[in-house]
Amino acid sequence: MAASLNSSFGANPRFNAARRTPPATFAYGNPGTGDSPIKVNTLPSETNNKAPDVDPQILSELHGNLFSIKTDVFIRNFLYGEASDPDVTDEGASQSVSNSGRHALDEELAKKCLEALVGQDKNEQFQQVVKHLNMDEGCEMAARISPYQEKQFTKLVKGIRAEKDLYQPLADLFLFINIFFRCYLNRGMTGEWSLEIDRSWPLPTDPKEPNEIHRTLLRRRFIVSYNQEYQYSPHVPERPILLPDLSLVLCKKLEGEWIKTDLPHWKDVKVPIEVKLSDGFDANRVCQMARYARAIRLEQFDRNFAFSLLISKNKCRVFHWAASQCHVTEVDIHENPAVFIQIIGRLASMDPQSMGYDPRFSNSGRVLSNETRRFPTRLEIVPARPTEYHEPSSGDGDEGREPLVLDLFIDRPMFQARGFLFSRFTRVWEGREVDPTTLKSEHGELRVVKQNWADADRVNEAYLYEKAKDVPYVARLMGYETVTRTIDIRSLWHDGAIVGVYRKGAEQALPQLDTVDGEKPFTLYTCKESPRAFSRALVRMVFEQKGRAILKAQSSRELLEAAMQWIVGVFGLNDAGIIHRDVSSGNLLLGYDSNSPAFLIDLGLAHFSPPNKEDSSTSEAEGDRTPKAHHHLTGTLPFIALNLLIALRRKKSIKHEVHHDVESVFWVLLYVVLLAEESEDAKFALLGLLSTEPKDVEKEKRGLLSGILNPNSKAADRITLDGRYKDLAHFLGSFASICWARFDEGVDIKLDDLIALIDRTISSLPPGSGERPKTKRKRGQEEGQEESQEEVQGSGERPETSRRKRNPEEGQKEGQEEVQEEVQEEVQEEQVDGSSTGSSRIVQSMCSEQGVLSQDSA
């Protein structure tokens, strides 16, 4: 049952798959704390990522986040409000016009296009366009273009008995509109053929050769593709099988011939189009459009928002997909033909930035799928001083600081989130700094770039790194920039601009619900007051450190020394007023080599309580900002402190403190040790920690802390360690006793005690304890070089892993060291912001899904 608009609870049962973004029409709330709702997310996998299994998750995210907008407001704000387009005068000189000027120009052009379709052979403009269309397509097109007669596009109505009967008539009509705009836009309707419409889409260039000139331009073209499976790039973590009926794609035309690829590719898609025979708007259709939007977001790293179309015999629905919400408007094709033409013409003639591409990336939106290896991607970041909350950077950056320019290794990202729709969509790349003098990067320093769509109401992660710059063993931030923010839905709250919000409930629905027979409706509800805003900020951070995954530890000594550094870092953050709140296996990194220290990463969920009021931002001190409060129960389920799990079960408020983060370090260490064990007891203990049910994890942790890890225990269920890290048995037992004393008796955990414990353990280690056997390097791999997919960067995220299931016993037969070599991150935990997902072969063989305790799935 869905919640009411004023409910304090989410629409899903408590531990079902959670929303990444809270519905904007819901009040945030939790019965225990008044903060954000608690959810346990499940991780996407190869099986549950395919429709229709993925649909419940998509519907959950769309619930309350799909806004129906009045058509004129939608067109003004989303088709013309994002960026300025280049315009061309009658003399051909390029100039920039205002959005309102381009809007008025397109309105006039759409009317003239409609007149041409009404008159057809009797209309001179129609004849001019068909002449160019024939040349462009290499065939006779006049008879294929639908006329507009008797208040309808006749070829979209007459003789249409099945959905596929609409494909070609729609594509032909779209091609005509495209060429009409191409012929006449900015030319005073003279009929002169012009490529000026494509001046903003030149062929990509090598940023190392900026003076190279290409006179051939890229073209956008409508294609029919209902029977072709769209392709993905190799580095895309998930590749759902999707077949849009039509698409507006980017392509190249040389010497009059279209340069075609074997199969359409999601990198080339600018607007996916789905065609239906009937006009209904139900859950299945919404999910289908959402899957297309998600495919674009997975594939096109340089795109900040996207458009899609859902077209039937009578209706055209236009979707604008942002990082926090989706906006849709509906146009009757036959009753409002000029508006319909204007929408198609505008989409076919947008410049890259207006279509959502980020100009900070070189060649943004202009590299074809079959040319990705030819053109490196260069990113410019204008460093700004981090503010406590996300304010868009002015573009000038810090005074005296030069822009950071990096050549990114785009084709092998270090991490790419598997978010659904409205998540942080974190991406992490490695890159080399570009020399500003030579514009070359061959000898530049290696850096790490983290990009995500952060919750704009949370404390800026870069601000926390700035506050922690003197804390040892924490990732070092080199530069930061807030690029843009999603639109505030409240800015459209005027004169009935927001028609309603689509939800799954059954009350306060608008009348005359239009649905498809036998299909579940997605109901439109009225908004009686301005919906609550949820805004995301696009943030980029550059880190100077690079680390290794914790499972790459070379010996027991390295693991212990790293543990000491992580614990010192946790206490240091606490002294700076920062509680990490998500200490996990992915956020504790080893040094890049034996001479580099270990360090903590990812302060995205950290809580900041400034030691001094002066440390707080001016806006907060003056009460101008009321940020969303952090829930204290957050983190990654296998590594959350025991009493936080108990508070979760009892629905009680509890303060997340530094000793909880210290206990999380213990759980990470135990997790690494148990992975290297072969005994059944150790396997069952690991299985308990990786359970998707918080109550089962709580039970397992209570037993592990209360004595069964103690080598001197007489308990029948005592766990004996005899694997690679068997020499750490006494250390883990003592660490568990310290955590249990804090839990059971309230005894403070002291940094000096833990350091002394680690020092004693290191001094007692036998030679070669826990060392990894040397393995043969893969061909082409240099000494000391780690595979890029096994390295974890100082960015807050983890690299991707293989999806193939693996039985734990298989790895034991081949040697436990090989298992650890192959499985670098067994728990790819789902961050609250959707910043990382996935699961390892070992974990997949133990449990079907990894549960994660999240704050609000924002």
Side-chain angles (χ1 to χ4, degrees):
M1 179 181 294
S4 68
L5 291 177
N6 296 320
S7 172
S8 295
F9 296 93
N12 294 333
R14 173 165 295 275
F15 295 124
N16 282 357
R19 298 181 303 272
R20 265 65 171 183
T21 295
T25 51
F26 280 80
Y28 299 108
N30 180 270
T33 66
D35 296 335
S36 308
I38 310 168
K39 293 288 179 181
V40 171
N41 292 339
T42 55
L43 298 179
S45 68
E46 288 183 340
T47 55
N48 65 25
N49 184 55
K50 298 177 181 178
D53 298 326
V54 78
D55 288 356
Q57 176 65 50
I58 288 179
L59 282 177
S60 180
E61 291 194 26
L62 284 170
H63 172 67
N65 286 313
L66 177 58
F67 290 91
S68 178
I69 311 295
K70 286 180 63 176
T71 301
D72 60 331
V73 177
F74 183 98
I75 291 175
R76 185 170 61 251
N77 282 276
F78 299 114
L79 294 185
Y80 295 92
E82 299 288 356
S84 296
D85 276 328
D87 197 3
V88 180
T89 64
D90 288 341
E91 291 75 27
S94 295
Q95 64 180 11
S96 180
V97 296
S98 66
N99 296 327
S100 59
R102 177 61 192 271
H103 186 189
L105 188 65
D106 285 357
E107 281 185 329
E108 183 65 23
L109 190 59
K111 293 176 182 177
K112 291 185 177 294
C113 182
L114 179 60
E115 292 174 1
L117 291 170
V118 170
Q120 289 228 344
D121 292 341
K122 299 178 182 180
N123 184 280
E124 182 179 353
Q125 292 178 347
F126 179 85
Q127 295 174 2
Q128 289 283 349
V129 172
V130 169
K131 174 183 175 181
H132 292 300
L133 186 57
N134 291 341
M135 291 188 299
D136 209 43
E137 294 299 312
C139 61
E140 188 64 37
M141 295 292 297
R144 294 167 53 174
I145 308 303
S146 175
Y148 185 77
Q149 299 173 350
E150 300 176 355
K151 296 185 177 182
Q152 63 183 8
F153 290 96
T154 55
K155 289 186 180 295
L156 304 185
V157 177
K158 296 180 180 179
I160 303 298
R161 296 181 177 83
E163 179 183 304
K164 64 180 181 180
D165 296 336
L166 281 169
Y167 297 160
Q168 198 59 53
L170 279 171
D172 294 338
L173 178 60
F174 292 167
L175 286 171
F176 177 85
I177 296 172
N178 184 9
I179 297 299
F180 192 98
F181 272 65
R182 184 176 303 280
C183 286
Y184 295 101
L185 186 62
N186 311 322
R187 287 289 179 173
M189 309 303 173
T190 63
E192 180 182 352
W193 177 259
S194 170
L195 290 177
E196 293 298 335
I197 193 173
D198 290 320
R199 287 299 179 204
S200 59
W201 294 81
L203 288 177
T205 59
D206 188 337
K208 300 176 184 178
E209 304 293 340
N211 297 323
E212 184 179 3
I213 298 176
H214 291 281
R215 302 198 177 276
T216 303
L217 303 177
L218 296 171
R219 290 279 299 276
R220 283 146 292 171
R221 189 168 186 255
F222 291 96
I223 63 170
V224 177
S225 56
Y226 67 95
N227 58 349
Q228 297 177 296
E229 180 181 335
Y230 281 47
Q231 304 300 296
Y232 296 86
S233 297
H235 64 263
V236 174
E238 295 171 359
R239 303 171 193 176
I241 299 174
L242 300 171
L243 294 82
D245 297 323
L246 285 76
S247 283
L248 176 64
V249 300
L250 190 69
C251 49
K252 187 191 298 185
K253 190 174 186 181
L254 296 175
E255 300 179 355
E257 295 293 331
W258 291 106
I259 306 300
K260 297 181 180 180
T261 56
D262 294 335
L263 289 171
H265 198 287
W266 278 109
K267 188 174 183 62
D268 302 327
V269 173
K270 304 308 166 188
V271 181
I273 304 170
E274 186 64 20
V275 179
K276 299 295 182 183
L277 185 63
S278 59
D279 298 331
F281 194 57
D282 54 73
N284 290 337
R285 295 184 179 188
V286 172
C287 285
Q288 197 164 8
M289 301 307 296
R291 288 196 294 271
Y292 295 160
R294 181 170 179 255
I296 288 177
R297 185 165 286 269
L298 286 171
E299 177 67 50
Q300 300 182 24
F301 64 90
D302 52 356
R303 198 165 185 180
N304 296 337
F305 58 87
F307 296 97
S308 62
L309 296 177
L310 175 61
I311 298 179
S312 59
K313 287 179 66 174
N314 301 298
K315 299 291 181 72
C316 172
R317 292 182 175 92
V318 191
F319 295 80
H320 172 267
W321 300 92
S324 59
Q325 294 152 355
C326 177
H327 313 92
V328 62
T329 194
E330 180 181 300
V331 177
D332 190 294
I333 293 174
H334 306 292
E335 291 184 3
N336 299 289
V339 175
F340 171 62
I341 291 172
Q342 181 185 353
I343 290 171
I344 302 301
R346 173 60 176 165
L347 291 173
S349 60
M350 279 180 168
D351 70 354
Q353 192 173 349
S354 298
M355 193 154 284
Y357 290 98
D358 192 331
R360 295 287 198 196
F361 291 97
S362 63
N363 301 319
S364 58
R366 297 185 287 113
V367 178
L368 298 177
S369 57
N370 58 356
E371 297 181 332
T372 54
R373 293 188 177 274
R374 289 183 54 193
F375 301 104
T377 297
R378 183 162 288 182
L379 173 66
E380 179 182 281
I381 294 178
V382 182
R385 186 177 301 278
T387 55
E388 188 167 358
Y389 295 93
H390 298 281
E391 305 295 343
S393 303
S394 63
D396 298 329
D398 283 352
E399 185 176 352
R401 289 199 64 181
E402 294 292 330
L404 282 169
V405 182
L406 302 104
D407 282 338
L408 302 181
F409 306 150
I410 290 294
D411 59 341
R412 45 188 177 99
M414 316 197 67
F415 172 78
Q416 183 167 327
R418 290 186 178 94
F420 279 87
L421 288 176
F422 308 127
S423 67
R424 293 201 306 173
F425 269 98
T426 302
R427 285 181 166 98
V428 181
W429 300 286
E430 187 179 1
R432 288 192 181 273
E433 279 196 76
V434 174
D435 187 314
T437 303
T438 64
L439 299 181
K440 306 293 185 180
S441 63
E442 285 79 1
H443 304 292
E445 294 289 339
L446 282 172
R447 304 300 183 197
V448 176
V449 178
K450 175 181 178 180
Q451 170 182 288
N452 65 26
W453 286 90
D455 182 345
D457 287 334
R458 283 192 180 143
V459 174
N460 185 354
E461 183 180 0
Y463 179 80
L464 297 181
Y465 278 113
E466 180 71 17
K467 290 297 179 183
K469 63 183 178 182
D470 296 325
V471 177
Y473 312 120
V474 176
R476 293 289 173 257
L477 182 70
M478 285 188 59
Y480 144 85
E481 181 180 29
T482 296
V483 182
T484 186
R485 288 178 60 149
T486 55
I487 190 169
D488 187 341
I489 191 68
R490 291 176 297 185
S491 66
L492 303 181
W493 186 255
H494 59 83
D495 301 329
I498 301 178
V499 179
V501 57
Y502 283 95
R503 295 180 51 231
K504 297 184 294 182
E507 55 182 285
Q508 298 180 355
L510 293 175
Q512 300 177 346
L513 178 65
D514 189 16
T515 62
V516 179
D517 292 340
E519 296 188 8
K520 185 178 181 180
F522 206 57
T523 310
L524 183 64
Y525 291 79
T526 56
C527 290
K528 294 185 177 179
E529 58 184 16
S530 177
R532 297 196 62 170
F534 185 89
S535 180
R536 288 192 180 275
L538 179 59
V539 178
R540 295 195 183 107
M541 293 175 282
V542 181
F543 295 87
E544 64 181 30
Q545 289 142 301
K546 182 176 180 178
R548 291 175 293 138
I550 191 171
L551 294 181
K552 302 296 291 182
Q554 298 297 314
S555 64
S556 299
R557 183 185 185 92
E558 182 181 18
L559 189 61
L560 286 172
E561 289 177 344
M564 182 188 299
Q565 292 161 351
W566 294 324
I567 292 171
V568 170
V570 165
F571 275 96
L573 287 174
N574 180 61
D575 293 340
I578 301 170
I579 301 295
H580 192 287
R581 304 199 316 153
D582 190 24
V583 173
S584 62
S585 61
N587 292 335
L588 302 178
L589 298 189
L590 303 170
Y592 180 60
D593 53 37
S594 58
N595 297 320
S596 304
F599 55 95
L600 288 151
I601 61 173
D602 197 356
L603 301 181
L605 302 183
H607 183 69
F608 179 55
S609 298
N612 302 309
K613 190 62 178 177
E614 289 105 11
D615 291 338
S616 182
S617 68
T618 303
S619 60
E620 184 185 32
E622 294 176 353
D624 295 334
R625 185 188 295 268
T626 55
K628 180 172 57 179
H630 284 288
H631 198 288
H632 296 301
L633 300 179
T634 188
T636 305
L637 189 55
F639 312 117
I640 294 175
L642 174 59
N643 58 353
L644 293 181
L645 292 177
I646 294 173
L648 166 65
R649 175 171 52 81
R650 296 175 178 175
K651 301 179 183 178
K652 290 186 176 181
S653 176
I654 185 172
K655 184 178 181 181
H656 196 134
E657 298 182 285
V658 65
H659 65 84
H660 296 127
D661 284 347
V662 173
E663 185 181 327
S664 292
V665 174
F666 165 78
W667 292 120
V668 172
L669 292 172
L670 179 62
Y671 161 75
V672 173
V673 171
L674 291 178
L675 277 174
E677 288 296 314
E678 300 180 4
S679 68
E680 291 299 320
D681 289 342
K683 289 181 184 179
F684 279 113
L686 181 60
L687 184 61
L689 288 178
L690 298 178
S691 171
T692 61
E693 292 294 331
K695 62 180 181 180
D696 295 337
V697 179
E698 175 194 334
K699 180 179 178 181
E700 188 66 39
K701 289 185 174 182
R702 186 184 291 271
L704 290 168
L705 287 184
S706 60
I708 64 174
L709 283 175
N710 188 341
N712 299 322
S713 173
K714 303 299 183 181
D717 56 351
R718 178 175 66 87
I719 296 177
T720 301
L721 301 181
D722 54 11
R724 175 184 170 190
Y725 294 111
K726 61 180 181 295
D727 298 324
L728 301 185
H730 285 280
F731 165 74
L732 289 173
S734 299
F735 200 162
S737 298
I738 291 174
C739 294
W740 179 257
R742 177 67 179 112
F743 167 78
D744 193 44
E745 303 173 16
V747 178
D748 287 340
I749 296 179
K750 297 179 180 180
L751 175 60
D752 291 343
D753 293 342
L754 290 173
I755 291 178
L757 172 63
I758 294 174
D759 282 339
R760 289 196 304 271
T761 307
I762 291 176
S763 63
S764 65
L765 290 175
S769 175
E771 287 187 357
R772 305 178 67 178
K774 293 183 179 180
T775 57
K776 293 182 180 180
R777 294 191 302 274
K778 292 186 177 181
R779 184 178 300 175
Q781 189 174 352
E782 298 178 358
E783 182 74 31
Q785 178 185 0
E786 304 290 350
E787 292 186 72
S788 61
Q789 290 299 314
E790 292 176 339
E791 293 171 344
V792 180
Q793 310 304 313
S795 59
E797 310 302 341
R798 291 152 305 282
E800 298 299 337
T801 59
S802 172
R803 309 287 295 175
R804 182 177 64 87
K805 293 185 178 181
R806 179 187 180 95
N807 190 312
E809 295 183 359
E810 177 186 343
Q812 294 160 12
K813 293 177 181 179
E814 298 173 0
Q816 197 64 28
E817 303 302 331
E818 181 183 352
V819 175
Q820 292 195 6
E821 175 74 27
E822 292 182 342
V823 185
Q824 83 180 30
E825 265 312 314
E826 273 65 13
V827 175
Q828 295 281 349
E829 67 267 21
E830 178 74 41
Q831 301 278 8
V832 170
D833 297 86
S835 61
S836 57
T837 58
S839 56
S840 73
R841 286 164 279 183
I842 285 184
V843 173
Q844 284 182 333
S845 69
M846 291 184 173
C847 56
S848 58
E849 292 178 314
Q850 170 58 48
V852 176
L853 175 62
S854 75
Q855 172 180 336
D856 58 17
S857 299

